[in-house]
Amino acid sequence: MTDTTEPPLRVGIVPVTPLEQNCSLVWCTKTMKGALVDPGGDLDKLKAAVAKVGVTIEKLLVTHGHLDHCGQTGILAKELGVPIEGPHEEDRFWIEKLDDDGKRWGMHAESFEPDRWLKDGDTVTVGEQELQVLHCPGHTPGHVVFYYPLGHLAIVGDVLFAGSIGRTDFPRGNHQQLIDSITQKLWPLGNDVTFIPGHGPTSTFGRERQVNGFVSDYLLS
C-alpha cells in the first residue's frame, strides 16, 4: 500500500538569472504558507511558480549577499509586502553594493536592508515548520545555511555543490573557513541529508563525503 501522506514541508526549485541560480520555494503543507529562498531575479517566473502551487508567500530568506542570489529580493519584498530574513550581517557589504554589481553584470538589482539579520543557532519559520540557521562562512563571510531536521534537508547556497565547493576568491572569501564550515557544520547533520545547492543538481552529504574532489573524507583524512 502506497503512503500518500503529505509531508509537512515541501520544496520546489526554480532556476533564476543567467547564472541558473537555484531559488527554492518552500512551503508548509498544512497552512500553505511559504517562503522563497534566494529570489535573485526572474520575478515573474517565481510569482508564476508560487501561483501554480497555490502558496501564500510570508517571507523571503537569503543565504548570502551575491547578486544572483538576492539582487531582486528587495524588489520582490516590496511588491509582496513581506519581510526579508538573512543572511548574517557580515554580508552587509555585499548587499550594499548590489546596485553597482547589477550594472556591472547587466542585471537589474537593488540593495536592501533585511528585516532580520540571522546568526548561527537562530531559527526561521515557514508556516508551522521550523528551519535551523547555520552560519557557514567561507564563500562569503555572512553565508548561512537553512536546515530542516524533520525532512533531513538543507538549503546550502554556494557553500557546497554536487562534486564541488563554493568559490573563495571573492572579497573576504576564505578557503579554510569554507572547508571548516562544510566539515564542522554540515557533515555532523548526517550522511542522509539531501542538500539543495545554489547551482546544479541536489546531492547528499554522504555522497559528497565519498566522491567530492574537494572535501571527501579520503581527501581530508
Side-chain angles (χ1 to χ4, degrees):
M1 185 172 169
T2 305
D3 182 4
T4 56
T5 306
E6 187 83 77
L9 189 83
R10 295 193 66 184
V11 184
I13 300 171
V14 186
V16 296
T17 82
L19 297 175
E20 289 290 291
Q21 189 273 124
N22 289 332
C23 175
S24 295
L25 168 60
V26 298
W27 70 96
C28 167
T29 55
K30 181 178 177 182
T31 63
M32 292 305 286
K33 291 182 178 178
L36 287 163
V37 185
D38 288 353
D42 294 333
L43 300 188
D44 288 344
K45 184 178 180 182
L46 292 178
K47 286 184 279 190
V50 170
K52 184 176 181 180
V53 177
V55 170
T56 300
I57 295 297
E58 60 178 355
K59 65 183 62 174
L60 306 178
L61 302 174
V62 177
T63 63
H64 66 292
H66 282 167
L67 172 70
D68 52 327
H69 288 258
C70 67
Q72 293 186 14
T73 297
I75 300 168
L76 184 59
K78 279 186 266 189
E79 279 187 26
L80 300 179
V82 298
I84 301 169
E85 299 185 8
H88 187 287
E89 196 166 4
E90 286 293 320
D91 266 18
R92 179 188 285 276
F93 77 102
W94 276 114
I95 293 172
E96 286 178 343
K97 64 192 193 77
L98 282 172
D99 303 76
D100 294 335
D101 285 346
K103 291 171 188 167
R104 189 176 297 118
W105 289 90
M107 294 161 61
H108 181 49
E110 289 184 13
S111 60
F112 60 90
E113 176 77 14
D115 296 87
R116 180 189 176 200
W117 296 103
L118 297 174
K119 303 187 299 292
D120 193 68
D122 280 348
T123 58
V124 297
T125 56
V126 178
E128 294 183 359
Q129 299 304 305
E130 189 174 87
L131 308 180
Q132 296 177 1
V133 176
L134 292 82
H135 180 211
C136 293
H139 178 64
T140 68
H143 201 303
V144 296
V145 163
F146 299 103
Y147 173 53
Y148 179 56
L150 197 60
H152 304 281
L153 174 75
I155 301 172
V156 303
D158 287 354
V159 173
L160 179 70
F161 303 106
S164 188
I165 60 173
R167 291 174 57 175
T168 55
D169 57 339
F170 294 117
R172 295 187 62 197
N174 185 301
H175 180 77
Q176 189 56 53
Q177 260 191 341
L178 183 65
I179 299 299
D180 291 345
S181 290
I182 294 168
T183 58
Q184 296 173 21
K185 294 285 187 68
L186 300 188
W187 288 175
L189 300 178
N191 289 342
D192 61 341
V193 172
T194 296
F195 69 91
I196 300 172
H199 306 265
T202 62
S203 182
T204 65
F205 292 157
R207 175 168 172 76
E208 298 312 304
R209 292 184 72 165
Q210 288 183 314
V211 304
N212 192 301
F214 296 87
V215 284
S216 70
D217 292 351
Y218 174 77
L219 185 75
L220 298 178
S221 61

